[in-house]
Every structure is written in C-alpha cells, then in structure tokens.
Amino acid sequence: MAALTLDLSASAVDLTRQLLDIPSVSDDEGPLADAIEAAMRDVPHLHVTRVGDTVVARTDLGRDRRVVIAGHIDTVPINDNVPSRFETLGAVDYLWGRGAVDMKSGVAVQLLLAVQLAEPTLDVTWIWYDHEEVGEDQNGLRRLAAERPDLMQGDFAILGEPSNGHIEGGCNGNLRFEVRTRGVRAHSARSWVGHNAIHDAAQVLQVLQDYRAREVDVDGLVYREGLNAVGIVGGVAGNVIPDECRVHVNYRFAPSRTVAEAVEHVTELFEGFDVEVLDSAEGARPGLDAALAKEFVEAVGVEPRPKYGWTDVARFWSLGIPAVNYGPGDPLKAHADDERVELQQIVDVERGLRAWLTGTTA
C-alpha cells in the first residue's frame, strides 16, 4: 500500500477535508502520523521528532519565549460519516465528517501554519498526538510528558480542542466514583429476613437529587460544576433480595479544587456509605494572567470563556505551563453522527493564530 501524502499547499478548509478522508480511529492513527511526519520533515525550519504515533515539530529561532500548540489526530469510531462532504444548512456552509469538529479542523490549521510560518515572533513547538479518545494510559501526550518532557516545555500552550472559535481557559477537573450500599441476601418470597441494597440506593439518589452544583469564579472565569449519577448496578437474580448496589457518579469540579479536595467533598457528602474512587483528573486554572495569554487574547480579539469539560490543557498545567483551548467546531457536535464544522470558523481560527504568531492583526 502506497504511503499517504498531504497537500500542505491547500487551504485550511481543503486540508481539513484531506484529514477527514484519512481514517484515524484510536489505535489506527499510524498512517496519518506517517503522513504528517513525512510532510513536516520536508520543512527546513522545523526539527521533527516522533514518539510512537505522536509527531513533534519545533522551530529553533532563538526567541526568548516558546509556545506549544497541540492537537490530537485520532477520532472516535466512524459511523457512516466518511468520506467527507460539503453541505449548506440555512445560510451556513459546513464540512461534514468524522473528526470535523474533534479535532481535524484544528489540526489542519496547525499543520498549515507550521509549514507557512518560517519566522514566527515566538519559537513554536507543534505537537500532533495519538490516543486522546481512549484510556488515560494510552494517551500520546501523557506518554510524551513521561518520556520526553523536554519536548513539551514552553511558556504558554494552546490546545486545538473545539471551542466554536472562542478562547476557553483551563478546564474543570473530573472525578468518577461509586457509592455502594450493602444489604443481606434472601429469597424474595421471604424478603423480611434479608435487607434490600437497591432500596437503600434511594438515599444516594436523593442526595444527588437535592445537590445544588456550584458556579465558581476562578481567575475571572465562572466554571459550572456538576454531580450526576451516570449508572447503577445491582441485583443477583429474579428471586433474590440483592445484598449490594453500586451507583456510579461523575463529579465535574472547578479548577480551584484539587482532586484530593474533590474526593474529600464527595466522601463527606455520602457519609455512611462506601465511596470508591474509580478515576480522577486534575483541572487547570485559566492561566489568562500570563503575559503570553494576555497577548494571545488581544491578538485574537475574542472574550475568553471557561472550559467545562476536561481536556489535555490540564497536562500542561501540571507542568507549570498555562494553557487554553482554541479551535474551530461546536463541542456539541463532537462525536455526533452528523459531526460538522462551520467553514468560517476554520478560517477565523487560522486568522487568529496567524495574527498572534506574526504580530499582526486578526
């Protein structure tokens, strides 16, 4: 099979379409990573390193400040939404296809600018990484931070996650846990000799029903929290009183709170029940008070917003690097069967990044 090639002389819109038509579902990013690596190695002002299926391209111009601009190249599974196509809904032109929003349009903008901007005002590290859409242990950016943290160093970072072309600062933290109720098994014909753990789960659900999630101002951005049951498991057989029930809960907490503080909060909230943490991720504060962040906001000319979901900006924050999300695409269309991105947002994000990296006006 011939190696895939990318035409980086195309517009950002047309390059997005090229990327959409190269399937790269998680675990199958290799061919796209190969094409990106090959294209970047032909660019004289970039130094290219590959770690697994993550491609890093860096300028080395001796600038006194460096920005890291990153995007993931994998997608969730395809569901009859490849090949791509253009479509118009109302008066708005879209590009439709798996990954259009999350996040091949953002990657296309980055690839184009990486090639075209030989003399940016900052040194730039471009990172295109694998396995973002699957488990934490496979994440290419996590692996890069562990194996080559030097390649992630910078004074500021931008992640191309879909943000409707707005700047979204930081991200909420994420906590998944189980609340367990305990009972005593018995035959359902003689239920009074047992104790029904599923019935006790009503108390857990009532706590969640009564809970009022906070809105928290963190460095000028207001983050909305959420505490919700996302699953419930219980039962042994159709004629057995269950002795255990597990309520799966997801807590999205403002970045002013650490994971430890979030765990303490939910443990107190469900006092008297067994609480087991299944997964956790620290959030990231907005970081908009950093000098480069202020310059970026001014150059792009849009009002920053909070990021409610968790993103890999938190990895940069954990390294002491302030980071924001900035990319084309409506996050509500990420992973949808009708995933599509407005063409104008691709153009606007390219213009915004180009203006900032060249010291011009968007």
Side-chain angles (χ1 to χ4, degrees), residues 176-201:
R176 292 191 308 109
F177 61 98
E178 284 184 345
V179 183
R180 296 185 181 182
T181 58
R182 307 287 184 179
V184 178
R185 287 194 193 187
H187 196 293
S188 61
R190 294 173 293 278
S191 58
W192 57 88
V193 301
H195 184 84
N196 197 311
I198 291 179
H199 291 182
D200 285 352

mmCIF file with all atom_site columns, all heavy atoms in Angstrom, residues 176-201:
data_model
loop_
_atom_site.group_PDB
_atom_site.id
_atom_site.type_symbol
_atom_site.label_atom_id
_atom_site.label_alt_id
_atom_site.label_comp_id
_atom_site.label_asym_id
_atom_site.label_entity_id
_atom_site.label_seq_id
_atom_site.pdbx_PDB_ins_code
_atom_site.Cartn_x
_atom_site.Cartn_y
_atom_site.Cartn_z
_atom_site.occupancy
_atom_site.B_iso_or_equiv
_atom_site.pdbx_formal_charge
_atom_site.auth_seq_id
_atom_site.auth_comp_id
_atom_site.auth_asym_id
_atom_site.auth_atom_id
_atom_site.pdbx_PDB_model_num
ATOM 1   N N   . ARG A 1 176 ? -14.623 10.268  38.887 1.00 0.00 ? 176 ARG A N   1
ATOM 2   C CA  . ARG A 1 176 ? -15.616 9.198   38.759 1.00 0.00 ? 176 ARG A CA  1
ATOM 3   C C   . ARG A 1 176 ? -15.496 8.297   39.980 1.00 0.00 ? 176 ARG A C   1
ATOM 4   O O   . ARG A 1 176 ? -14.390 7.888   40.345 1.00 0.00 ? 176 ARG A O   1
ATOM 5   C CB  . ARG A 1 176 ? -15.398 8.376   37.483 1.00 0.00 ? 176 ARG A CB  1
ATOM 6   C CG  . ARG A 1 176 ? -15.679 9.127   36.207 1.00 0.00 ? 176 ARG A CG  1
ATOM 7   C CD  . ARG A 1 176 ? -15.708 8.210   34.996 1.00 0.00 ? 176 ARG A CD  1
ATOM 8   N NE  . ARG A 1 176 ? -14.515 7.377   34.891 1.00 0.00 ? 176 ARG A NE  1
ATOM 9   C CZ  . ARG A 1 176 ? -14.493 6.065   35.106 1.00 0.00 ? 176 ARG A CZ  1
ATOM 10  N NH1 . ARG A 1 176 ? -15.585 5.413   35.462 1.00 0.00 ? 176 ARG A NH1 1
ATOM 11  N NH2 . ARG A 1 176 ? -13.356 5.390   34.965 1.00 0.00 ? 176 ARG A NH2 1
ATOM 12  N N   . PHE A 1 177 ? -16.643 7.997   40.599 1.00 0.00 ? 177 PHE A N   1
ATOM 13  C CA  . PHE A 1 177 ? -16.600 7.165   41.793 1.00 0.00 ? 177 PHE A CA  1
ATOM 14  C C   . PHE A 1 177 ? -17.887 6.363   41.922 1.00 0.00 ? 177 PHE A C   1
ATOM 15  O O   . PHE A 1 177 ? -18.888 6.624   41.239 1.00 0.00 ? 177 PHE A O   1
ATOM 16  C CB  . PHE A 1 177 ? -16.367 8.022   43.046 1.00 0.00 ? 177 PHE A CB  1
ATOM 17  C CG  . PHE A 1 177 ? -17.427 9.056   43.322 1.00 0.00 ? 177 PHE A CG  1
ATOM 18  C CD1 . PHE A 1 177 ? -18.447 8.805   44.230 1.00 0.00 ? 177 PHE A CD1 1
ATOM 19  C CD2 . PHE A 1 177 ? -17.402 10.291  42.692 1.00 0.00 ? 177 PHE A CD2 1
ATOM 20  C CE1 . PHE A 1 177 ? -19.421 9.751   44.503 1.00 0.00 ? 177 PHE A CE1 1
ATOM 21  C CE2 . PHE A 1 177 ? -18.368 11.248  42.957 1.00 0.00 ? 177 PHE A CE2 1
ATOM 22  C CZ  . PHE A 1 177 ? -19.380 10.977  43.862 1.00 0.00 ? 177 PHE A CZ  1
ATOM 23  N N   . GLU A 1 178 ? -17.839 5.355   42.778 1.00 0.00 ? 178 GLU A N   1
ATOM 24  C CA  . GLU A 1 178 ? -19.003 4.531   43.097 1.00 0.00 ? 178 GLU A CA  1
ATOM 25  C C   . GLU A 1 178 ? -19.423 4.775   44.534 1.00 0.00 ? 178 GLU A C   1
ATOM 26  O O   . GLU A 1 178 ? -18.575 4.910   45.419 1.00 0.00 ? 178 GLU A O   1
ATOM 27  C CB  . GLU A 1 178 ? -18.689 3.036   42.959 1.00 0.00 ? 178 GLU A CB  1
ATOM 28  C CG  . GLU A 1 178 ? -18.616 2.528   41.546 1.00 0.00 ? 178 GLU A CG  1
ATOM 29  C CD  . GLU A 1 178 ? -18.394 1.012   41.519 1.00 0.00 ? 178 GLU A CD  1
ATOM 30  O OE1 . GLU A 1 178 ? -18.018 0.438   42.570 1.00 0.00 ? 178 GLU A OE1 1
ATOM 31  O OE2 . GLU A 1 178 ? -18.602 0.423   40.450 1.00 0.00 ? 178 GLU A OE2 1
ATOM 32  N N   . VAL A 1 179 ? -20.718 4.824   44.743 1.00 0.00 ? 179 VAL A N   1
ATOM 33  C CA  . VAL A 1 179 ? -21.275 4.806   46.089 1.00 0.00 ? 179 VAL A CA  1
ATOM 34  C C   . VAL A 1 179 ? -21.987 3.466   46.242 1.00 0.00 ? 179 VAL A C   1
ATOM 35  O O   . VAL A 1 179 ? -22.877 3.135   45.447 1.00 0.00 ? 179 VAL A O   1
ATOM 36  C CB  . VAL A 1 179 ? -22.263 5.959   46.318 1.00 0.00 ? 179 VAL A CB  1
ATOM 37  C CG1 . VAL A 1 179 ? -22.767 5.932   47.761 1.00 0.00 ? 179 VAL A CG1 1
ATOM 38  C CG2 . VAL A 1 179 ? -21.614 7.298   46.004 1.00 0.00 ? 179 VAL A CG2 1
ATOM 39  N N   . ARG A 1 180 ? -21.571 2.681   47.237 1.00 0.00 ? 180 ARG A N   1
ATOM 40  C CA  . ARG A 1 180 ? -22.109 1.328   47.411 1.00 0.00 ? 180 ARG A CA  1
ATOM 41  C C   . ARG A 1 180 ? -23.021 1.237   48.636 1.00 0.00 ? 180 ARG A C   1
ATOM 42  O O   . ARG A 1 180 ? -22.717 1.793   49.692 1.00 0.00 ? 180 ARG A O   1
ATOM 43  C CB  . ARG A 1 180 ? -20.975 0.310   47.567 1.00 0.00 ? 180 ARG A CB  1
ATOM 44  C CG  . ARG A 1 180 ? -20.090 0.194   46.338 1.00 0.00 ? 180 ARG A CG  1
ATOM 45  C CD  . ARG A 1 180 ? -19.064 -0.898  46.505 1.00 0.00 ? 180 ARG A CD  1
ATOM 46  N NE  . ARG A 1 180 ? -18.198 -0.997  45.331 1.00 0.00 ? 180 ARG A NE  1
ATOM 47  C CZ  . ARG A 1 180 ? -17.227 -1.902  45.186 1.00 0.00 ? 180 ARG A CZ  1
ATOM 48  N NH1 . ARG A 1 180 ? -17.010 -2.783  46.162 1.00 0.00 ? 180 ARG A NH1 1
ATOM 49  N NH2 . ARG A 1 180 ? -16.492 -1.922  44.102 1.00 0.00 ? 180 ARG A NH2 1
ATOM 50  N N   . THR A 1 181 ? -24.110 0.563   48.437 1.00 0.00 ? 181 THR A N   1
ATOM 51  C CA  . THR A 1 181 ? -24.983 0.218   49.568 1.00 0.00 ? 181 THR A CA  1
ATOM 52  C C   . THR A 1 181 ? -24.881 -1.278  49.807 1.00 0.00 ? 181 THR A C   1
ATOM 53  O O   . THR A 1 181 ? -24.693 -2.067  48.879 1.00 0.00 ? 181 THR A O   1
ATOM 54  C CB  . THR A 1 181 ? -26.435 0.610   49.280 1.00 0.00 ? 181 THR A CB  1
ATOM 55  O OG1 . THR A 1 181 ? -26.889 -0.051  48.085 1.00 0.00 ? 181 THR A OG1 1
ATOM 56  C CG2 . THR A 1 181 ? -26.561 2.107   49.079 1.00 0.00 ? 181 THR A CG2 1
ATOM 57  N N   . ARG A 1 182 ? -25.005 -1.673  51.072 1.00 0.00 ? 182 ARG A N   1
ATOM 58  C CA  . ARG A 1 182 ? -24.864 -3.076  51.450 1.00 0.00 ? 182 ARG A CA  1
ATOM 59  C C   . ARG A 1 182 ? -26.174 -3.599  52.037 1.00 0.00 ? 182 ARG A C   1
ATOM 60  O O   . ARG A 1 182 ? -26.874 -2.880  52.745 1.00 0.00 ? 182 ARG A O   1
ATOM 61  C CB  . ARG A 1 182 ? -23.754 -3.251  52.495 1.00 0.00 ? 182 ARG A CB  1
ATOM 62  C CG  . ARG A 1 182 ? -22.418 -2.640  52.114 1.00 0.00 ? 182 ARG A CG  1
ATOM 63  C CD  . ARG A 1 182 ? -21.699 -3.413  51.042 1.00 0.00 ? 182 ARG A CD  1
ATOM 64  N NE  . ARG A 1 182 ? -20.368 -2.855  50.775 1.00 0.00 ? 182 ARG A NE  1
ATOM 65  C CZ  . ARG A 1 182 ? -19.512 -3.352  49.892 1.00 0.00 ? 182 ARG A CZ  1
ATOM 66  N NH1 . ARG A 1 182 ? -19.847 -4.435  49.200 1.00 0.00 ? 182 ARG A NH1 1
ATOM 67  N NH2 . ARG A 1 182 ? -18.330 -2.794  49.715 1.00 0.00 ? 182 ARG A NH2 1
ATOM 68  N N   . GLY A 1 183 ? -26.489 -4.840  51.729 1.00 0.00 ? 183 GLY A N   1
ATOM 69  C CA  . GLY A 1 183 ? -27.692 -5.467  52.256 1.00 0.00 ? 183 GLY A CA  1
ATOM 70  C C   . GLY A 1 183 ? -27.425 -6.903  52.674 1.00 0.00 ? 183 GLY A C   1
ATOM 71  O O   . GLY A 1 183 ? -26.272 -7.291  52.890 1.00 0.00 ? 183 GLY A O   1
ATOM 72  N N   . VAL A 1 184 ? -28.475 -7.689  52.769 1.00 0.00 ? 184 VAL A N   1
ATOM 73  C CA  . VAL A 1 184 ? -28.376 -9.107  53.122 1.00 0.00 ? 184 VAL A CA  1
ATOM 74  C C   . VAL A 1 184 ? -29.228 -9.885  52.133 1.00 0.00 ? 184 VAL A C   1
ATOM 75  O O   . VAL A 1 184 ? -30.415 -9.577  51.938 1.00 0.00 ? 184 VAL A O   1
ATOM 76  C CB  . VAL A 1 184 ? -28.871 -9.368  54.556 1.00 0.00 ? 184 VAL A CB  1
ATOM 77  C CG1 . VAL A 1 184 ? -28.816 -10.865 54.882 1.00 0.00 ? 184 VAL A CG1 1
ATOM 78  C CG2 . VAL A 1 184 ? -28.042 -8.564  55.559 1.00 0.00 ? 184 VAL A CG2 1
ATOM 79  N N   . ARG A 1 185 ? -28.633 -10.895 51.512 1.00 0.00 ? 185 ARG A N   1
ATOM 80  C CA  . ARG A 1 185 ? -29.380 -11.698 50.546 1.00 0.00 ? 185 ARG A CA  1
ATOM 81  C C   . ARG A 1 185 ? -30.446 -12.552 51.229 1.00 0.00 ? 185 ARG A C   1
ATOM 82  O O   . ARG A 1 185 ? -30.253 -13.030 52.346 1.00 0.00 ? 185 ARG A O   1
ATOM 83  C CB  . ARG A 1 185 ? -28.437 -12.623 49.780 1.00 0.00 ? 185 ARG A CB  1
ATOM 84  C CG  . ARG A 1 185 ? -27.567 -11.942 48.768 1.00 0.00 ? 185 ARG A CG  1
ATOM 85  C CD  . ARG A 1 185 ? -26.925 -12.957 47.834 1.00 0.00 ? 185 ARG A CD  1
ATOM 86  N NE  . ARG A 1 185 ? -25.860 -12.348 47.045 1.00 0.00 ? 185 ARG A NE  1
ATOM 87  C CZ  . ARG A 1 185 ? -25.220 -12.965 46.063 1.00 0.00 ? 185 ARG A CZ  1
ATOM 88  N NH1 . ARG A 1 185 ? -25.553 -14.218 45.755 1.00 0.00 ? 185 ARG A NH1 1
ATOM 89  N NH2 . ARG A 1 185 ? -24.265 -12.353 45.384 1.00 0.00 ? 185 ARG A NH2 1
ATOM 90  N N   . ALA A 1 186 ? -31.529 -12.727 50.505 1.00 0.00 ? 186 ALA A N   1
ATOM 91  C CA  . ALA A 1 186 ? -32.594 -13.627 50.971 1.00 0.00 ? 186 ALA A CA  1
ATOM 92  C C   . ALA A 1 186 ? -33.445 -13.993 49.770 1.00 0.00 ? 186 ALA A C   1
ATOM 93  O O   . ALA A 1 186 ? -33.410 -13.333 48.723 1.00 0.00 ? 186 ALA A O   1
ATOM 94  C CB  . ALA A 1 186 ? -33.438 -12.949 52.040 1.00 0.00 ? 186 ALA A CB  1
ATOM 95  N N   . HIS A 1 187 ? -34.233 -15.041 49.931 1.00 0.00 ? 187 HIS A N   1
ATOM 96  C CA  . HIS A 1 187 ? -35.197 -15.402 48.896 1.00 0.00 ? 187 HIS A CA  1
ATOM 97  C C   . HIS A 1 187 ? -36.279 -14.313 48.869 1.00 0.00 ? 187 HIS A C   1
ATOM 98  O O   . HIS A 1 187 ? -36.739 -13.853 49.925 1.00 0.00 ? 187 HIS A O   1
ATOM 99  C CB  . HIS A 1 187 ? -35.820 -16.767 49.207 1.00 0.00 ? 187 HIS A CB  1
ATOM 100 C CG  . HIS A 1 187 ? -36.523 -17.380 48.038 1.00 0.00 ? 187 HIS A CG  1
ATOM 101 N ND1 . HIS A 1 187 ? -37.673 -16.844 47.501 1.00 0.00 ? 187 HIS A ND1 1
ATOM 102 C CD2 . HIS A 1 187 ? -36.237 -18.502 47.306 1.00 0.00 ? 187 HIS A CD2 1
ATOM 103 C CE1 . HIS A 1 187 ? -38.077 -17.592 46.489 1.00 0.00 ? 187 HIS A CE1 1
ATOM 104 N NE2 . HIS A 1 187 ? -37.219 -18.608 46.351 1.00 0.00 ? 187 HIS A NE2 1
ATOM 105 N N   . SER A 1 188 ? -36.682 -13.896 47.681 1.00 0.00 ? 188 SER A N   1
ATOM 106 C CA  . SER A 1 188 ? -37.668 -12.825 47.601 1.00 0.00 ? 188 SER A CA  1
ATOM 107 C C   . SER A 1 188 ? -39.019 -13.223 48.180 1.00 0.00 ? 188 SER A C   1
ATOM 108 O O   . SER A 1 188 ? -39.832 -12.351 48.544 1.00 0.00 ? 188 SER A O   1
ATOM 109 C CB  . SER A 1 188 ? -37.824 -12.369 46.146 1.00 0.00 ? 188 SER A CB  1
ATOM 110 O OG  . SER A 1 188 ? -38.282 -13.432 45.332 1.00 0.00 ? 188 SER A OG  1
ATOM 111 N N   . ALA A 1 189 ? -39.266 -14.522 48.300 1.00 0.00 ? 189 ALA A N   1
ATOM 112 C CA  . ALA A 1 189 ? -40.521 -14.966 48.939 1.00 0.00 ? 189 ALA A CA  1
ATOM 113 C C   . ALA A 1 189 ? -40.484 -14.754 50.440 1.00 0.00 ? 189 ALA A C   1
ATOM 114 O O   . ALA A 1 189 ? -41.525 -14.769 51.107 1.00 0.00 ? 189 ALA A O   1
ATOM 115 C CB  . ALA A 1 189 ? -40.776 -16.438 48.622 1.00 0.00 ? 189 ALA A CB  1
ATOM 116 N N   . ARG A 1 190 ? -39.269 -14.599 50.982 1.00 0.00 ? 190 ARG A N   1
ATOM 117 C CA  . ARG A 1 190 ? -39.111 -14.335 52.413 1.00 0.00 ? 190 ARG A CA  1
ATOM 118 C C   . ARG A 1 190 ? -38.196 -13.118 52.583 1.00 0.00 ? 190 ARG A C   1
ATOM 119 O O   . ARG A 1 190 ? -37.157 -13.159 53.245 1.00 0.00 ? 190 ARG A O   1
ATOM 120 C CB  . ARG A 1 190 ? -38.520 -15.565 53.113 1.00 0.00 ? 190 ARG A CB  1
ATOM 121 C CG  . ARG A 1 190 ? -39.461 -16.769 53.100 1.00 0.00 ? 190 ARG A CG  1
ATOM 122 C CD  . ARG A 1 190 ? -38.800 -18.026 53.635 1.00 0.00 ? 190 ARG A CD  1
ATOM 123 N NE  . ARG A 1 190 ? -37.729 -18.496 52.750 1.00 0.00 ? 190 ARG A NE  1
ATOM 124 C CZ  . ARG A 1 190 ? -37.941 -19.238 51.650 1.00 0.00 ? 190 ARG A CZ  1
ATOM 125 N NH1 . ARG A 1 190 ? -39.169 -19.585 51.308 1.00 0.00 ? 190 ARG A NH1 1
ATOM 126 N NH2 . ARG A 1 190 ? -36.929 -19.638 50.895 1.00 0.00 ? 190 ARG A NH2 1
ATOM 127 N N   . SER A 1 191 ? -38.597 -12.020 51.934 1.00 0.00 ? 191 SER A N   1
ATOM 128 C CA  . SER A 1 191 ? -37.751 -10.828 51.865 1.00 0.00 ? 191 SER A CA  1
ATOM 129 C C   . SER A 1 191 ? -37.450 -10.238 53.233 1.00 0.00 ? 191 SER A C   1
ATOM 130 O O   . SER A 1 191 ? -36.434 -9.571  53.422 1.00 0.00 ? 191 SER A O   1
ATOM 131 C CB  . SER A 1 191 ? -38.422 -9.769  50.988 1.00 0.00 ? 191 SER A CB  1
ATOM 132 O OG  . SER A 1 191 ? -39.702 -9.433  51.493 1.00 0.00 ? 191 SER A OG  1
ATOM 133 N N   . TRP A 1 192 ? -38.356 -10.470 54.214 1.00 0.00 ? 192 TRP A N   1
ATOM 134 C CA  . TRP A 1 192 ? -38.173 -9.863  55.528 1.00 0.00 ? 192 TRP A CA  1
ATOM 135 C C   . TRP A 1 192 ? -36.958 -10.381 56.273 1.00 0.00 ? 192 TRP A C   1
ATOM 136 O O   . TRP A 1 192 ? -36.521 -9.750  57.237 1.00 0.00 ? 192 TRP A O   1
ATOM 137 C CB  . TRP A 1 192 ? -39.438 -10.071 56.368 1.00 0.00 ? 192 TRP A CB  1
ATOM 138 C CG  . TRP A 1 192 ? -39.844 -11.516 56.531 1.00 0.00 ? 192 TRP A CG  1
ATOM 139 C CD1 . TRP A 1 192 ? -39.432 -12.388 57.491 1.00 0.00 ? 192 TRP A CD1 1
ATOM 140 C CD2 . TRP A 1 192 ? -40.717 -12.236 55.677 1.00 0.00 ? 192 TRP A CD2 1
ATOM 141 N NE1 . TRP A 1 192 ? -39.993 -13.617 57.316 1.00 0.00 ? 192 TRP A NE1 1
ATOM 142 C CE2 . TRP A 1 192 ? -40.811 -13.558 56.200 1.00 0.00 ? 192 TRP A CE2 1
ATOM 143 C CE3 . TRP A 1 192 ? -41.457 -11.916 54.523 1.00 0.00 ? 192 TRP A CE3 1
ATOM 144 C CZ2 . TRP A 1 192 ? -41.582 -14.541 55.600 1.00 0.00 ? 192 TRP A CZ2 1
ATOM 145 C CZ3 . TRP A 1 192 ? -42.247 -12.894 53.935 1.00 0.00 ? 192 TRP A CZ3 1
ATOM 146 C CH2 . TRP A 1 192 ? -42.312 -14.194 54.475 1.00 0.00 ? 192 TRP A CH2 1
ATOM 147 N N   . VAL A 1 193 ? -36.387 -11.498 55.827 1.00 0.00 ? 193 VAL A N   1
ATOM 148 C CA  . VAL A 1 193 ? -35.182 -11.998 56.510 1.00 0.00 ? 193 VAL A CA  1
ATOM 149 C C   . VAL A 1 193 ? -33.913 -11.431 55.870 1.00 0.00 ? 193 VAL A C   1
ATOM 150 O O   . VAL A 1 193 ? -32.807 -11.705 56.352 1.00 0.00 ? 193 VAL A O   1
ATOM 151 C CB  . VAL A 1 193 ? -35.137 -13.542 56.500 1.00 0.00 ? 193 VAL A CB  1
ATOM 152 C CG1 . VAL A 1 193 ? -36.374 -14.114 57.195 1.00 0.00 ? 193 VAL A CG1 1
ATOM 153 C CG2 . VAL A 1 193 ? -34.986 -14.091 55.094 1.00 0.00 ? 193 VAL A CG2 1
ATOM 154 N N   . GLY A 1 194 ? -34.078 -10.685 54.800 1.00 0.00 ? 194 GLY A N   1
ATOM 155 C CA  . GLY A 1 194 ? -32.929 -10.055 54.151 1.00 0.00 ? 194 GLY A CA  1
ATOM 156 C C   . GLY A 1 194 ? -32.999 -8.540  54.272 1.00 0.00 ? 194 GLY A C   1
ATOM 157 O O   . GLY A 1 194 ? -33.800 -7.980  55.018 1.00 0.00 ? 194 GLY A O   1
ATOM 158 N N   . HIS A 1 195 ? -32.137 -7.868  53.534 1.00 0.00 ? 195 HIS A N   1
ATOM 159 C CA  . HIS A 1 195 ? -32.120 -6.395  53.505 1.00 0.00 ? 195 HIS A CA  1
ATOM 160 C C   . HIS A 1 195 ? -31.769 -5.967  52.085 1.00 0.00 ? 195 HIS A C   1
ATOM 161 O O   . HIS A 1 195 ? -30.732 -6.370  51.553 1.00 0.00 ? 195 HIS A O   1
ATOM 162 C CB  . HIS A 1 195 ? -31.100 -5.833  54.493 1.00 0.00 ? 195 HIS A CB  1
ATOM 163 C CG  . HIS A 1 195 ? -31.111 -4.332  54.559 1.00 0.00 ? 195 HIS A CG  1
ATOM 164 N ND1 . HIS A 1 195 ? -32.005 -3.633  55.351 1.00 0.00 ? 195 HIS A ND1 1
ATOM 165 C CD2 . HIS A 1 195 ? -30.373 -3.398  53.903 1.00 0.00 ? 195 HIS A CD2 1
ATOM 166 C CE1 . HIS A 1 195 ? -31.794 -2.327  55.188 1.00 0.00 ? 195 HIS A CE1 1
ATOM 167 N NE2 . HIS A 1 195 ? -30.806 -2.173  54.309 1.00 0.00 ? 195 HIS A NE2 1
ATOM 168 N N   . ASN A 1 196 ? -32.619 -5.152  51.474 1.00 0.00 ? 196 ASN A N   1
ATOM 169 C CA  . ASN A 1 196 ? -32.506 -4.826  50.057 1.00 0.00 ? 196 ASN A CA  1
ATOM 170 C C   . ASN A 1 196 ? -31.570 -3.638  49.817 1.00 0.00 ? 196 ASN A C   1
ATOM 171 O O   . ASN A 1 196 ? -31.898 -2.490  50.138 1.00 0.00 ? 196 ASN A O   1
ATOM 172 C CB  . ASN A 1 196 ? -33.893 -4.520  49.493 1.00 0.00 ? 196 ASN A CB  1
ATOM 173 C CG  . ASN A 1 196 ? -33.915 -4.577  47.974 1.00 0.00 ? 196 ASN A CG  1
ATOM 174 O OD1 . ASN A 1 196 ? -33.071 -3.995  47.320 1.00 0.00 ? 196 ASN A OD1 1
ATOM 175 N ND2 . ASN A 1 196 ? -34.903 -5.283  47.435 1.00 0.00 ? 196 ASN A ND2 1
ATOM 176 N N   . ALA A 1 197 ? -30.407 -3.939  49.239 1.00 0.00 ? 197 ALA A N   1
ATOM 177 C CA  . ALA A 1 197 ? -29.410 -2.891  48.991 1.00 0.00 ? 197 ALA A CA  1
ATOM 178 C C   . ALA A 1 197 ? -29.871 -1.918  47.912 1.00 0.00 ? 197 ALA A C   1
ATOM 179 O O   . ALA A 1 197 ? -29.517 -0.730  47.941 1.00 0.00 ? 197 ALA A O   1
ATOM 180 C CB  . ALA A 1 197 ? -28.076 -3.525  48.591 1.00 0.00 ? 197 ALA A CB  1
ATOM 181 N N   . ILE A 1 198 ? -30.656 -2.385  46.940 1.00 0.00 ? 198 ILE A N   1
ATOM 182 C CA  . ILE A 1 198 ? -31.150 -1.487  45.895 1.00 0.00 ? 198 ILE A CA  1
ATOM 183 C C   . ILE A 1 198 ? -32.094 -0.445  46.486 1.00 0.00 ? 198 ILE A C   1
ATOM 184 O O   . ILE A 1 198 ? -32.054 0.734   46.103 1.00 0.00 ? 198 ILE A O   1
ATOM 185 C CB  . ILE A 1 198 ? -31.833 -2.282  44.761 1.00 0.00 ? 198 ILE A CB  1
ATOM 186 C CG1 . ILE A 1 198 ? -30.785 -3.097  43.991 1.00 0.00 ? 198 ILE A CG1 1
ATOM 187 C CG2 . ILE A 1 198 ? -32.567 -1.348  43.808 1.00 0.00 ? 198 ILE A CG2 1
ATOM 188 C CD1 . ILE A 1 198 ? -31.365 -3.934  42.863 1.00 0.00 ? 198 ILE A CD1 1
ATOM 189 N N   . HIS A 1 199 ? -32.928 -0.854  47.429 1.00 0.00 ? 199 HIS A N   1
ATOM 190 C CA  . HIS A 1 199 ? -33.823 0.107   48.075 1.00 0.00 ? 199 HIS A CA  1
ATOM 191 C C   . HIS A 1 199 ? -33.020 1.198   48.786 1.00 0.00 ? 199 HIS A C   1
ATOM 192 O O   . HIS A 1 199 ? -33.384 2.370   48.762 1.00 0.00 ? 199 HIS A O   1
ATOM 193 C CB  . HIS A 1 199 ? -34.738 -0.599  49.067 1.00 0.00 ? 199 HIS A CB  1
ATOM 194 C CG  . HIS A 1 199 ? -35.746 -1.483  48.405 1.00 0.00 ? 199 HIS A CG  1
ATOM 195 N ND1 . HIS A 1 199 ? -36.703 -2.193  49.121 1.00 0.00 ? 199 HIS A ND1 1
ATOM 196 C CD2 . HIS A 1 199 ? -35.967 -1.792  47.089 1.00 0.00 ? 199 HIS A CD2 1
ATOM 197 C CE1 . HIS A 1 199 ? -37.454 -2.887  48.276 1.00 0.00 ? 199 HIS A CE1 1
ATOM 198 N NE2 . HIS A 1 199 ? -37.008 -2.664  47.044 1.00 0.00 ? 199 HIS A NE2 1
ATOM 199 N N   . ASP A 1 200 ? -31.915 0.813   49.404 1.00 0.00 ? 200 ASP A N   1
ATOM 200 C CA  . ASP A 1 200 ? -31.083 1.798   50.112 1.00 0.00 ? 200 ASP A CA  1
ATOM 201 C C   . ASP A 1 200 ? -30.452 2.800   49.148 1.00 0.00 ? 200 ASP A C   1
ATOM 202 O O   . ASP A 1 200 ? -30.098 3.914   49.554 1.00 0.00 ? 200 ASP A O   1
ATOM 203 C CB  . ASP A 1 200 ? -29.983 1.097   50.900 1.00 0.00 ? 200 ASP A CB  1
ATOM 204 C CG  . ASP A 1 200 ? -30.506 0.432   52.167 1.00 0.00 ? 200 ASP A CG  1
ATOM 205 O OD1 . ASP A 1 200 ? -31.691 0.648   52.499 1.00 0.00 ? 200 ASP A OD1 1
ATOM 206 O OD2 . ASP A 1 200 ? -29.748 -0.310  52.806 1.00 0.00 ? 200 ASP A OD2 1
ATOM 207 N N   . ALA A 1 201 ? -30.315 2.404   47.892 1.00 0.00 ? 201 ALA A N   1
ATOM 208 C CA  . ALA A 1 201 ? -29.730 3.322   46.909 1.00 0.00 ? 201 ALA A CA  1
ATOM 209 C C   . ALA A 1 201 ? -30.609 4.550   46.714 1.00 0.00 ? 201 ALA A C   1
ATOM 210 O O   . ALA A 1 201 ? -30.136 5.590   46.225 1.00 0.00 ? 201 ALA A O   1
ATOM 211 C CB  . ALA A 1 201 ? -29.524 2.608   45.577 1.00 0.00 ? 201 ALA A CB  1
#
